[in-house]
Amino acid sequence: LLRAAIAQAVGCWEGYIEGALPEFVSKTRVQAHRKAWTLIVQFESLVKKLTGEFNTPNWEQTRDLIFNVTGIDPYSSWVWSPDYANQNDTKTFFDGILNVRHSFAHGFSVPSTVPGLLVPGELDCAYVNKAIDCLKFFATKTDGLLEHELTHRHGCAAGWN
């Protein structure tokens, strides 16, 4: 059951990114000048392709995808405090969640190097809850960044709903 919870949480994070970025691009289309619509439609197709091929939602690949699609670098906002004081510690925990998911998806045991486990190499309820909270934090923080970008840079009054 603990593995299933991690798999579902990672799947939700990946699904969130795969849905949020095309939605972001479609919301910017409203503000685009009519002459630019052809380019926007092409860009929307490219974003759908990129998000469709997105299958490892780790820190770096997610950050790169968000930056390449939106121009936003989430690095400075992705600090999950008070649990972690900086991006590096947050990244280590975040990528640990992905490593846990990767390990059992490919038939390996949980790596003993994953930070946050009470017993190295063994999933526990506290870790799973913390992993889910971490991924919720990332989704909420990313939502805030997309909202800010839409309203401030793109002048989209409706924002991110």
Side-chain angles (χ1 to χ4, degrees):
L1 215 48
L2 298 176
R3 288 180 178 197
I6 292 289
Q8 184 177 16
V10 170
C12 287
W13 169 245
E14 181 178 337
Y16 163 76
I17 294 296
E18 290 171 347
L21 295 180
E23 183 180 348
F24 176 87
V25 172
S26 73
K27 286 181 177 277
T28 62
R29 178 199 280 203
V30 173
Q31 302 302 320
H33 191 274
R34 280 179 139 324
K35 292 180 181 180
W37 280 12
T38 304
L39 290 174
I40 294 289
V41 170
Q42 289 174 351
F43 187 61
E44 283 177 327
S45 295
L46 177 63
V47 170
K48 285 180 184 173
K49 181 181 184 299
L50 291 172
T51 56
E53 295 171 350
F54 186 63
N55 63 5
T56 306
N58 65 24
W59 174 287
E60 286 302 325
Q61 290 183 10
T62 303
R63 179 183 174 205
D64 287 347
L65 184 59
I66 290 171
F67 181 75
N68 289 331
V69 170
T70 68
I72 302 168
D73 186 353
Y75 184 78
S76 62
S77 297
W78 281 359
V79 178
W80 188 35
S81 60
D83 290 71
Y84 299 101
N86 59 53
Q87 290 88 352
N88 291 335
D89 292 344
T90 303
K91 178 186 183 304
T92 300
F93 184 77
F94 181 88
D95 283 344
I97 299 167
L98 278 288
N99 288 336
V100 168
R101 164 62 178 83
H102 178 80
S103 69
F104 63 75
H106 296 284
F108 307 121
S109 56
V110 174
S112 59
T113 56
V114 171
L117 296 171
L118 295 176
V119 176
E122 292 183 27
L123 285 181
D124 56 78
C125 284
Y127 177 83
V128 170
N129 288 332
K130 190 172 179 178
I132 291 168
D133 289 345
C134 178
L135 294 173
K136 281 192 224 174
F137 161 80
F138 273 81
T140 302
K141 188 58 77 170
T142 303
D143 266 352
L145 293 170
L146 295 173
E147 167 80 26
H148 185 269
E149 188 74 2
L150 278 174
T151 57
H152 290 79
R153 183 170 172 205
H154 295 283
C156 185
W160 187 249
N161 297 326

